[in-house]
Amino acid sequence: SLITTSFCLLLPSPTFQHRLISSLRAGCIPVLLSRSQPMPFQDTLDWKLAAIHFKFEVIEEIPEALKSISEGTILELRRRGRIFLARIDDVQALSKSLIAAISERFQVGLPLFPQVPAHLIFPNADVENATLASPQITSKSAVSQMKASTM
């Protein structure tokens, strides 16, 4: 079962994203046999820190290579896998990551949250026609702000 397995072999397929998330949820370290398979947020998440990549040509050598990985490295890969999972498996975190990625890609400042009429947030307060401003993210600080807000 995935719960007792340290490594999960993931081949390119139409269900790759689902299987990747399932393996991360189980605390499994993804072992990928493709360099061309797109990874979630691959421009902002360094998947080499949470997954292991092999070329398909060396498939017979993979078991021996995995056995040689130290326990400390396995624990660190799992820890980073949990961090990455938190960014791609939670709707709110996913929304923030998408906003940050769009802001970074197009180099525009986008609000972290839209402006909201104050009476919707504080229905009993005496605020007439007030709007709460949201913080801006700029292209240079988008990723660092997202990382800080999700940790």
Side-chain angles (χ1 to χ4, degrees):
S1 87
L2 285 179
I3 301 300
T4 59
T5 304
S6 291
F7 303 100
C8 293
L9 185 64
L10 300 175
L11 299 169
S13 76
T15 62
F16 175 82
Q17 300 289 332
H18 173 72
R19 290 183 302 116
L20 173 66
I21 290 174
S22 294
S23 68
L24 291 171
R25 283 179 184 156
C28 194
I29 300 164
V31 176
L32 312 171
L33 287 183
S34 171
R35 299 225 184 244
S36 61
Q37 177 69 50
M39 299 293 286
F41 296 102
Q42 63 189 17
D43 293 339
T44 56
L45 295 177
D46 185 359
W47 281 97
K48 290 179 285 196
L49 301 174
I52 301 172
H53 295 265
F54 288 102
K55 293 180 181 178
F56 189 79
E57 296 80 29
V58 298
I59 194 166
E60 286 132 15
E61 301 170 23
I62 292 174
E64 197 60 38
L66 295 177
K67 286 179 190 173
S68 70
I69 298 174
S70 73
E71 187 175 325
T73 300
I74 290 172
L75 292 173
E76 183 62 17
L77 286 165
R78 281 187 169 155
R79 184 186 74 80
R80 290 183 178 166
R82 286 190 306 272
I83 292 169
F84 285 18
L85 178 65
R87 294 192 181 154
I88 63 174
D89 195 33
D90 175 69
V91 173
Q92 186 174 9
L94 184 59
S95 300
K96 288 180 181 181
S97 295
L98 283 169
I99 289 171
I102 290 168
S103 176
E104 186 71 25
R105 178 65 52 110
F106 295 108
Q107 298 192 1
V108 295
L110 297 174
L112 288 172
F113 305 99
Q115 292 187 349
V116 179
H119 75 278
L120 293 176
I121 297 174
F122 306 107
N124 298 328
D126 186 22
V127 286
E128 201 169 304
N129 297 326
T131 301
L132 299 177
S134 58
Q136 296 285 315
I137 51 177
T138 61
S139 60
K140 291 182 180 179
S141 64
V143 174
S144 61
Q145 284 185 16
M146 291 290 87
K147 287 179 183 175
S149 69
T150 58
M151 290 190 171

